């Protein structure tokens, strides 16, 4: 993978493209979850890099895209557009995990003509799915997280999002760079920013929903059941996996992404 960089009004954003990036291949844009970074998709990169162009990034305010002064889903979507334009591709397939799925939907809201397909991994839908209680609790995340000691908070996050030793180690490695204040702030602005950008969104491209059977993060499972019911999008449960299902069970996730991509071609 080749590392590159763009800059907007709020900071520098690191992104990576596959070594053999050619115009006649379909392009996959991998979007990681909150407080994570691009390394959560390493098992997907190895699997898909021969047959597809790959773009990935450390989202604004995450990983190597720090410092970043004003994270928002709108600025993230616009940064994605800038990256895609620099890569010279006209269509992308978005693969977004958790917060990455929110950013994908923010992008689809603004640039629907560029998106060929959307793989939603352990994320939640835009729209009127959320009760007043749901939104109230999301706004409390930052101060509530600050109540935990730093090491306990990080260990709790890792155990929450993954059930395998590999998955938990991967999460711990990704969040190790953050002090507690920055980590809690990221979670706060991630959830609050989602509420600000949330809207009724009709997604016209094909969509598949992948959710870990053991995903106990918030109400992800119930939101996805309702998302599938309302839209007819296919919902696939990933066994032996929690919220970071692509890390816990990459073989199963990769196979379902492959089936989805074959149907797009």
């Amino acid at each position: 993978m080749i590392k590159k960089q763009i800059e907007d009004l709020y900071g520098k954003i690191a992104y990576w493209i596959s070594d053999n990036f050619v115009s006649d291949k379909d392009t996959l844009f991998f979007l990681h979850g909150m407080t994570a970074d691009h390394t959560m998709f390493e098992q997907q990169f190895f699997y898909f890099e021969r047959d597809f162009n790959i773009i990935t990034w450390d989202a604004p305010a995450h990983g190597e895209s720090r410092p970043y002064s004003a994270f928002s889903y709108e600025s993230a979507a616009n940064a994605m557009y800038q990256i895609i334009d620099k890569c010279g591709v006209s269509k992308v397939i978005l693969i977004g995990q958790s917060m990455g799925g929110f950013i994908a939907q923010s992008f689809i809201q603004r640039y629907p003509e560029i998106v060929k397909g959307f793989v939603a991994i352990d994320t939640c839908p835009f729209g009127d799915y959320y009760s007043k209680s749901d939104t109230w609790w999301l706004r409390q995340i930052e101060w509530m997280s600050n109540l935990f000691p730093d090491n306990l908070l990080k260990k709790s996050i890792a155990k929450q999002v993954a059930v395998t030793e590999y998955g938990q180690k991967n999460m711990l490695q990704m969040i190790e760079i953050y002090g507690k204040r920055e980590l809690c702030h990221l979670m706060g602005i991630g959830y609050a920013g989602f509420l600000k950008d949330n809207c009724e969104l009709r997604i016209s491209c094909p969509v598949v929903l992948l959710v870990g059977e053991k995903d106990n993060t918030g109400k992800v499972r119930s939101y996805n059941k309702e998302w599938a019911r309302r839209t007819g999008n296919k919902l696939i449960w990933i066994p032996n996996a929690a919220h970071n299902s692509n890390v816990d069970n990459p073989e199963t996730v990769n196979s379902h992404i492959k089936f989805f991509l074959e149907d797009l071609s």
Side-chain angles (χ1 to χ4, degrees), residues 11 46 62 75 97 112 124 127-128 156 164 167 180-181 183 185 192 195 197 201 205 226 228 262:
F46 296 146
H62 291 72
S75 64
Q97 190 273 339
C124 296
D128 64 342
S156 298
T164 62
K180 189 177 80 166
R181 180 177 295 181
L183 183 63
H185 184 58
L195 294 173
D197 210 50
L201 179 64
C205 69
E226 181 63 12
E262 287 173 348

Side-chain angles (χ1 to χ4, degrees), residues 97-99 101-102 105 118 120-127 129-130 194 198 217-221 223-224 227 243:
Q97 190 273 339
S98 192
M99 181 195 75
F102 297 161
Q105 290 171 88
F118 174 32
I121 304 175
D122 298 288
T123 188
C124 296
F126 272 30
Y129 293 81
Y130 308 98
F194 161 68
N198 186 32
T217 299
K219 296 165 67 176
V220 170
R221 286 185 298 180
Y223 291 144
N224 274 269
W227 193 359
H243 190 60

Side-chain angles (χ1 to χ4, degrees), residues 103-244:
I103 295 177
Q105 290 171 88
S106 291
F107 185 85
I108 292 168
Q109 175 189 346
R110 294 169 173 87
Y111 305 103
E113 70 283 355
I114 296 176
V115 184
K116 184 176 180 179
F118 174 32
V119 179
I121 304 175
D122 298 288
T123 188
C124 296
F126 272 30
D128 64 342
Y129 293 81
Y130 308 98
S131 68
K132 290 182 179 179
S133 174
D134 292 339
T135 58
W136 186 88
W137 280 109
L138 288 174
R139 292 189 175 98
Q140 313 312 309
I141 294 295
E142 183 168 354
W143 74 263
M144 290 175 62
S145 300
N146 265 299
L147 298 176
F148 290 81
D150 183 46
N151 287 337
L152 178 59
L153 176 63
K154 289 177 178 177
K155 289 179 181 178
S156 298
I157 290 172
K159 289 182 178 179
Q160 176 68 34
V161 301
V163 293
T164 62
E165 181 180 0
Y166 174 77
Q168 292 177 6
K169 284 184 176 179
N170 173 255
M171 193 68 205
L172 283 171
Q173 288 171 352
M174 292 188 292
I175 61 179
E176 184 59 34
I177 61 171
Y178 303 113
K180 189 177 80 166
R181 180 177 295 181
E182 184 179 12
L183 183 63
C184 295
H185 184 58
L186 270 185
M187 291 189 286
I189 61 176
Y191 286 119
F194 161 68
L195 294 173
K196 182 178 180 180
D197 210 50
N198 186 32
C199 64
E200 288 302 312
L201 179 64
R202 182 181 177 276
I203 301 177
S204 57
C205 69
V207 179
V208 65
L209 314 177
L210 308 181
V211 181
E213 286 184 348
K214 299 179 180 180
D215 189 340
N216 293 317
T217 299
K219 296 165 67 176
V220 170
R221 286 185 298 180
S222 60
Y223 291 144
N224 274 269
K225 288 178 183 178
E226 181 63 12
W227 193 359
R229 188 192 69 80
R230 291 190 192 183
T231 62
N233 293 332
K234 188 174 184 180
L235 171 58
I236 299 169
W237 299 102
I238 307 301
N240 306 313
H243 190 60
N244 293 7

Side-chain angles (χ1 to χ4, degrees), residues 41-59:
F41 288 116
E42 286 180 342
Q43 297 302 313
Q44 283 69 54
F45 301 154
F46 296 146
Y47 189 86
F48 290 105
E49 64 184 350
R50 186 178 66 180
D51 298 319
F52 296 88
N53 293 327
I54 291 175
I55 305 173
T56 189
W57 70 355
D58 285 353

Side-chain angles (χ1 to χ4, degrees), residues 3-5 12-16 32 36-39 57-67 177-178:
K3 182 182 175 182
K4 294 179 174 289
Q5 183 176 274
K12 296 177 180 179
I13 301 165
Y15 70 98
W16 291 258
H32 64 78
D37 62 41
H38 73 285
T39 63
W57 70 355
D58 285 353
H62 291 72
E64 296 186 38
S65 299
R66 300 159 46 246
I177 61 171
Y178 303 113

